[in-house]
Amino acid sequence: MKKGYIKLGSIFLIVFLCVFIFVFGLNPKYGLSAEQLKNHDNLTAEETIKLYAYYKNRSDFNKIDDLLSKEALDEAGMFEKDKDYNQDDILNPVFLTNIEKVSSECEQDGFYERRIYVTYWSDNLLVKLGYKPSDKDAIYSTDMELVKKSKDSDWVIESIGF
């Protein structure tokens, strides 16, 4: 009888660990297709923000650099040099929960189009499984400015948090 409980407990522990590792390894794709994750051409501004969140959770900083403008890269380089960034971000991922468009301008300051969004982020691990918390459950919000230099160019992130 005791051997049966040990076998059952061992099986339960193995299944629990497998499920835990599976859930921990998930990275929400935010509705982006495999093609959009592979090829960054012709994305909308919202899809660019989602792609930024996807790569941020994977700590794939080289891919993030492809989404940032030269000005944003220079600013990020200053923070890295000053050690102002938090290394714990890799261990404590924060997930994008909502995107709200605040404003849009066309053909100003040398850009074809400029848009400003408020993005909401949560550290709730259930977001990995598709849970959509409300904005009030977000741990923080930040502004993101995206620009398109010409009609045929891709959206790039000009600044994150003003």
Side-chain angles (χ1 to χ4, degrees), residues 48-61:
T48 302
I49 293 171
K50 291 175 181 180
L51 195 60
Y52 169 82
Y54 175 78
Y55 288 132
K56 183 171 177 9
N57 287 332
R58 292 185 63 188
S59 300
D60 194 342
F61 300 111

Side-chain angles (χ1 to χ4, degrees), residues 64-66 68-78:
I64 289 174
D65 290 350
D66 294 341
L68 299 175
S69 70
K70 182 183 179 322
E71 292 78 15
L73 282 171
D74 291 343
E75 185 178 317
M78 282 178 30

Side-chain angles (χ1 to χ4, degrees), residues 38-158:
K38 182 179 176 186
N39 186 3
H40 304 161
D41 296 334
N42 300 321
L43 296 176
T44 65
E46 291 86 358
E47 290 169 341
T48 302
I49 293 171
K50 291 175 181 180
L51 195 60
Y52 169 82
Y54 175 78
Y55 288 132
K56 183 171 177 9
N57 287 332
R58 292 185 63 188
S59 300
D60 194 342
F61 300 111
N62 292 328
K63 299 270 184 164
I64 289 174
D65 290 350
D66 294 341
L67 302 174
L68 299 175
S69 70
K70 182 183 179 322
E71 292 78 15
L73 282 171
D74 291 343
E75 185 178 317
M78 282 178 30
F79 285 131
E80 187 173 314
K81 192 171 28 174
D82 295 338
K83 302 290 186 204
D84 241 359
Y85 62 97
N86 189 354
Q87 287 289 346
D88 293 336
D89 289 346
I90 295 171
L91 300 175
N92 300 316
V94 179
F95 305 102
L96 179 68
T97 60
N98 196 13
I99 303 171
E100 289 180 8
K101 185 176 172 182
V102 175
S103 70
S104 181
E105 301 172 351
C106 291
E107 299 184 15
Q108 289 186 357
D109 299 327
F111 296 114
Y112 175 74
E113 190 171 356
R114 175 190 318 257
R115 292 185 186 172
I116 298 174
Y117 292 89
V118 174
T119 57
Y120 296 91
W121 303 80
S122 174
D123 64 351
N124 188 338
L125 289 178
L126 293 177
V127 172
K128 286 184 169 190
L129 298 174
Y131 169 67
K132 302 282 186 201
S134 65
D135 293 343
K136 66 181 169 120
D137 291 334
I139 60 168
Y140 72 91
S141 64
T142 189
D143 297 331
M144 295 182 87
E145 179 182 2
L146 284 85
V147 296
K148 198 171 192 180
K149 296 189 183 217
S150 67
K151 183 178 182 179
D152 297 329
S153 66
D154 294 327
W155 286 98
V156 293
I157 300 171
E158 184 74 12

